[in-house]
Amino acid sequence: MKNIVLLLFLFTASLGFSQQTDNVDFNTAKAHIVFGDLSKKEVTGTITYEFEILKAVDSVFIDANKVVFSNIVLHGLGVQADVEFHNDSNRLIIYNEFKKDERYELKFDYSTQPKKALYFIDWDTSTALSGTISNKQIWTQGQGKYTSNWLPSIDDMNDKIEFDLTITFDKDYEVIANGKLTNKQINDSTTTWHYDMQKPMSSYLVALAIGKYDKKVEYSNSGIPLEMYYYPEDSLKVEPTYRYTKQMFDFLEEEIGVPYAWQNYKQVPVKDFLYAGMENTSTTIFADSFVIDSIAFVDKNYVNVNAHELAHQWFGDLVTETSGTHHWLQEGFATYYALLAERHIFGDAYYYWQLYDYAQELLEQHKARQGTALLNPKSSSTTFYKKGAWVLHVLREKVGDEAFKKGVKNYLLKHQFKNVETDDFISEVEKASGQDLTNFVNTWLEGSGFLYEDYINPLKAASKEIAQMITLDDMLLVSSDGLDNKINRYWENAMYPRVKAHLFSKEMIAGVNHNILKKALKSNDLKIRQAVALSLSKVPLELKTDYETLLEDQSYITIKAALFGLWNSFPEEQNKYLNQTKDIEGFNDKNIRIIWLALALVSDDYNPENETAYFNELTDYTSPKYGFEIRENAFKYLLWISACAENCKENLEQATKHHNWRFSKFAKAMLKSMQ
């Protein structure tokens, strides 16, 4: 009978768990984290939580996924050291007659081996990684409700807590976490790092990154330290990787009108990250595939991700959505303000072209009948990000710059360190503008329809480039002239390089009008030349000489496309093209080196004495010691040349268990295709 009563109590108590924030307010968390056997992903720690009771309750809980607890102590009004508790593998439940308006302190030790949210990179000795390549790291990704897998915490983003982390780790490594580093205690073989946060945040924004790093520090105009971390071997890539960081930080502080809320701003690249970047409070973690040199900057740079995650420090971190229904308040705002930062750097034309591209994505989504309302919590990323940015652009045009900026500022100041809904933002813009935005909300936020003209017509009015491009595109469709004449007219009437480059995205361009292709190849514009390279898989003989000059362009995308185009079109000169590009690595994913190895292996009589070395190098790139982007490239080209042998297959099998779900999905699909 006693067990039945207890089970009934646990069931009825659990009904109110989702509403704990109505009854309990967790204020501070002080955690000391220590790592055990890193190959087994062992984490131990001690945490002290302080919380306040808003309504009398008989239990409180901490979210904790498969965590073992010990030495649980509760201090507060009339509380003894020993407390009744229950660990159901998802939560630590503390039973007590908690009194309204009283404050309590809960302290406990814990240990766990997290399956997600805390990732141990290259610590598994079974992979036999080379010490010269291995990049041992530990990093977090808690967005969603995942931080409780490694740090017992509150998954509900509506409870904001001041987290102060202390981490003890091998003294040869850097440890980076939210907040300000207040002390480093040097021990015999370890260092203890003390990080202090002064303001509260949702637990999904708690961050930790450990690795071999150096850093560069700049200061914003407002005095905020901007700490930019990098691998010691990448010192020459620091400037192109972090280019415009200070400029964007200063711009966003001024544009938003609300000072940056945290003590500093850190950015840390990590291996095999799950996404492009994550806006942990004061500590953005991003994929090290964005660590680039100056040549790569032309085609693949960190600027947009940098600005996006920085904008989240206001929209998402300072004010946080109450639920997924209002997710656009984070992603739409971050996308829009990142675009404003890029507009500040690259100009108006860039801004309007990006909006045009966003509109095309939304149109394709609409055609696929996948469009949904912005306030639908199940909407796609395209809706939350791209439509969200468009909504803010249209709203600003509707109410004017002054009212828009005033509304945003008041919204942030009124709700800072709190949670928000869409009405909180709209009401502030209504107050600032004196306009009733009911119809705007009904159309742009609650409506799932997509009227293309609502997006394109304002762009045509604002941008002469886009207006010209759309006019010329229409001419290609409706003109009765022959195809060569239409393409000639398009090229001659296109006054802007971006419009000329756009011409080569048309499917009909490759097989006709070599005269226009020749003119494009003689252009000094990298993007026009790149557009030609990407439009031709087979190079006409009369374009050969001009096309060969693409191998000298300062663009890894162009060089890769040109290498394959020339190799594929002129077999008798394959060796020449391979010799010309043999020392080029390309992006961090080795996009040129890997295709080069594949082409070298299938070319007749190209350095046959090195064939085994080329094959071994290409196969080696499938190993876990490399980032998944490199591995995926190597797998693709080994499959392409039908050379995925035993080691490749073993590495592919290992890849099916990789923590990055996109990469594991790719590996599973490739394995299936080989059966």
Side-chain angles (χ1 to χ4, degrees):
M1 183 66 177
K2 181 178 178 181
N3 290 337
I4 293 175
V5 171
L6 178 58
L7 289 172
L8 180 61
F9 173 76
L10 292 176
F11 173 74
T12 55
S14 68
L15 296 179
F17 281 172
S18 62
Q19 302 299 320
Q20 178 168 265
T21 53
D22 294 334
N23 304 325
V24 184
D25 181 16
F26 281 81
N27 303 127
T28 65
K30 297 186 183 301
H32 186 179
I33 300 161
V34 180
F35 292 86
D37 188 333
L38 296 169
S39 67
K40 296 180 180 179
K41 305 177 182 179
E42 292 179 350
V43 183
T44 63
T46 299
I47 306 179
T48 301
Y49 276 103
E50 292 184 0
F51 58 93
E52 181 180 358
I53 302 299
L54 307 177
K55 297 179 184 177
V57 291
D58 53 18
S59 65
V60 300
F61 69 84
I62 300 286
D63 291 299
N65 193 345
K66 295 179 174 58
V67 174
V68 176
F69 292 94
S70 60
N71 300 322
I72 301 173
V73 178
L74 179 68
H75 293 292
L77 183 64
V79 178
Q80 302 297 321
D82 295 330
V83 295
E84 183 180 358
F85 68 92
H86 177 68
N87 180 6
D88 66 2
S89 294
N90 292 309
R91 289 170 168 145
L92 171 65
I93 309 162
I94 305 296
Y95 301 111
N96 184 66
E97 294 300 322
F98 292 99
K99 306 297 183 181
K100 180 182 177 182
D101 296 330
E102 291 295 328
R103 301 182 69 87
Y104 295 84
E105 180 183 278
L106 175 65
K107 184 177 181 180
F108 52 79
D109 298 333
Y110 77 95
S111 62
T112 187
Q113 294 173 274
K115 301 297 183 185
K116 61 176 69 172
L118 186 68
Y119 296 92
F120 294 73
I121 308 301
D122 290 356
W123 296 96
D124 185 353
T125 55
S126 66
T127 58
L129 300 178
S130 166
T132 59
I133 296 177
S134 173
N135 191 0
K136 293 182 178 180
Q137 299 175 350
I138 299 173
W139 48 260
T140 58
Q141 172 53 27
Q143 187 165 30
K145 297 183 177 181
Y146 299 138
T147 295
S148 60
N149 283 267
W150 68 274
L151 181 73
S153 51
I154 306 297
D155 287 338
D156 190 338
M157 66 179 68
N158 290 277
D159 199 342
K160 294 199 168 189
I161 303 166
E162 180 196 332
F163 287 91
D164 295 334
L165 300 186
T166 296
I167 305 102
T168 298
F169 200 78
D170 186 326
K171 67 193 310 180
D172 292 333
Y173 289 79
E174 294 291 311
V175 175
I176 304 118
N178 311 89
K180 181 179 180 180
L181 179 63
T182 57
N183 186 41
K184 278 174 63 176
Q185 178 182 329
I186 309 299
N187 311 311
D188 290 339
S189 60
T190 62
T191 299
T192 300
W193 305 68
H194 299 271
Y195 280 94
D196 170 65
M197 282 292 291
Q198 296 178 345
K199 301 294 183 181
M201 61 181 172
S202 301
S203 65
Y204 78 90
L205 296 166
V206 176
L208 178 64
I210 299 173
K212 299 288 183 73
Y213 293 104
D214 288 337
K215 71 176 177 181
K216 176 183 178 181
V217 182
E218 294 186 21
Y219 291 87
S220 71
N221 289 346
S222 58
I224 298 296
L226 309 177
E227 301 180 12
M228 295 164 277
Y229 287 84
Y230 61 93
Y231 305 140
E233 64 270 23
D234 287 336
S235 60
L236 297 180
K237 296 181 178 180
V238 175
E239 190 283 323
T241 298
Y242 289 110
R243 190 174 293 173
Y244 303 124
T245 292
K246 178 184 176 333
Q247 188 174 342
M248 292 190 296
F249 190 101
D250 292 334
F251 168 79
L252 286 176
E253 270 206 311
E254 182 177 351
E255 169 67 25
I256 295 169
V258 175
Y260 180 78
W262 322 105
Q263 299 115 300
N264 52 30
Y265 185 54
K266 300 176 286 292
Q267 296 181 84
V268 190
V270 299
K271 177 184 175 183
D272 287 346
F273 197 52
L274 300 177
Y275 307 103
M278 177 61 200
E279 69 277 10
N280 311 295
T281 308
S282 78
T283 308
T284 285
I285 293 176
F286 68 97
D288 62 10
S289 55
F290 286 103
V291 175
I292 55 161
D293 60 22
S294 290
I295 296 176
F297 186 89
V298 173
D299 297 313
K300 178 185 178 180
N301 57 61
Y302 178 54
V303 173
N304 181 264
V305 176
N306 188 342
H308 183 98
E309 308 309 336
L310 176 56
H312 268 310
Q313 299 297 318
W314 285 267
F315 306 103
D317 296 7
L318 182 61
V319 296
T320 309
E321 67 189 46
T322 58
S323 68
T325 299
H326 309 285
H327 193 47
W328 83 282
L329 293 176
Q330 298 184 183
E331 298 303 347
F333 273 73
T335 303
Y336 175 69
Y337 276 91
L339 196 51
L340 290 183
E342 290 185 292
R343 181 184 195 175
H344 176 66
I345 294 166
F346 302 125
D348 288 348
Y350 177 91
Y351 174 77
Y352 290 117
W353 274 93
Q354 290 301 106
L355 284 175
Y356 175 81
D357 287 343
Y358 294 174
Q360 301 313 302
E361 286 188 52
L362 290 163
L363 177 61
E364 291 305 311
Q365 180 177 257
H366 173 70
K367 289 179 178 178
R369 297 184 178 181
Q370 296 174 348
T372 54
L374 197 56
L375 296 185
N376 183 340
K378 296 182 179 180
S379 286
S380 68
S381 293
T382 297
T383 296
F384 285 133
Y385 288 64
K386 310 299 174 58
K387 186 175 182 180
W390 255 102
V391 163
L392 293 170
H393 170 76
V394 173
L395 179 60
R396 187 171 190 157
E397 294 290 310
K398 177 178 175 61
V399 303
D401 279 356
E402 184 178 349
F404 181 84
K405 293 177 72 171
K406 182 179 179 181
V408 170
K409 180 177 180 178
N410 291 343
Y411 159 72
L412 290 173
L413 291 175
K414 182 176 180 179
H415 301 285
Q416 59 184 328
F417 310 114
K418 298 176 184 176
N419 296 81
V420 288
E421 297 184 351
T422 298
D423 284 347
D424 295 321
F425 169 64
I426 295 297
S427 65
E428 293 303 324
V429 179
E430 286 183 328
K431 292 175 187 175
S433 66
Q435 296 186 29
D436 182 349
L437 296 176
T438 301
N439 290 337
F440 179 87
V441 170
N442 290 340
T443 301
W444 287 91
L445 299 179
E446 296 178 348
S448 59
F450 180 86
L451 188 60
Y452 188 61
E453 288 74 14
D454 287 347
Y455 291 79
I456 293 305
N457 289 339
L459 288 183
K460 290 166 65 176
S463 169
K464 292 181 180 179
E465 286 189 42
I466 291 175
Q468 183 180 94
M469 180 191 68
I470 292 172
T471 298
L472 293 174
D473 280 355
D474 290 342
M475 179 268 293
L476 285 177
L477 293 174
V478 302
S479 173
S480 59
D481 287 351
L483 186 55
D484 275 4
N485 286 337
K486 288 195 287 188
I487 291 175
N488 273 322
R489 273 182 30 209
Y490 194 116
W491 176 266
E492 296 302 329
N493 288 321
M495 304 302 294
Y496 304 97
R498 255 186 288 246
V499 179
K500 288 182 180 290
H502 175 74
L503 171 62
F504 298 97
S505 67
K506 305 300 181 183
E507 292 182 359
M508 82 291 263
I509 193 70
V512 296
N513 227 289
H514 295 166
N515 180 50
I516 296 300
L517 290 167
K518 199 173 192 65
K519 288 181 179 180
L521 287 170
K522 290 185 179 299
S523 167
N524 292 323
D525 188 273
L526 280 174
K527 289 300 183 181
I528 292 177
R529 291 168 57 81
Q530 183 180 104
V532 175
L534 295 173
S535 69
L536 297 178
S537 58
K538 206 75 172 174
V539 183
L541 181 60
E542 55 266 42
L543 296 179
K544 176 174 177 287
T545 300
D546 291 314
Y547 194 91
E548 286 176 334
T549 65
L550 293 172
L551 291 177
E552 300 171 6
D553 278 17
Q554 298 293 291
S555 162
Y556 293 138
I557 289 178
T558 301
I559 293 171
K560 178 185 174 183
L563 170 61
F564 180 78
L566 291 164
W567 179 92
N568 188 41
S569 303
F570 307 107
E572 69 282 0
E573 297 194 61
Q574 287 176 346
N575 288 7
K576 180 179 87 170
Y577 302 130
L578 290 170
N579 284 334
Q580 190 173 345
T581 55
K582 64 182 180 180
D583 296 322
I584 305 175
E585 292 284 325
F587 297 122
N588 260 18
D589 64 1
K590 298 183 183 292
N591 67 316
I592 295 176
R593 180 61 181 174
I594 286 174
I595 190 176
W596 187 94
L597 289 167
L599 296 178
L601 286 168
V602 296
S603 297
D604 293 335
D605 300 322
Y606 183 73
N607 293 348
E609 70 279 7
N610 292 327
E611 185 173 314
T612 298
Y614 295 155
F615 175 75
N616 289 340
E617 181 183 348
L618 183 55
T619 299
D620 189 52
Y621 288 142
T622 68
S623 162
K625 63 189 174 186
Y626 294 99
F628 77 85
E629 299 93 347
I630 292 174
R631 299 178 67 190
E632 187 169 317
N633 274 343
F635 282 131
K636 286 178 181 177
Y637 281 100
L638 282 166
L639 180 64
W640 179 60
I641 64 174
S642 301
C644 186
E646 184 177 353
N647 286 345
C648 168
K649 290 176 181 176
E650 289 178 359
N651 289 333
L652 188 59
E653 183 66 39
Q654 187 274 343
T656 64
K657 303 177 181 64
H658 197 275
H659 64 264
N660 187 296
W661 66 269
R662 293 178 181 85
F663 181 51
S664 64
K665 183 179 179 181
F666 159 83
K668 291 172 185 176
M670 181 171 165
L671 266 181
K672 186 176 181 180
S673 72
M674 294 169 60
Q675 294 173 352

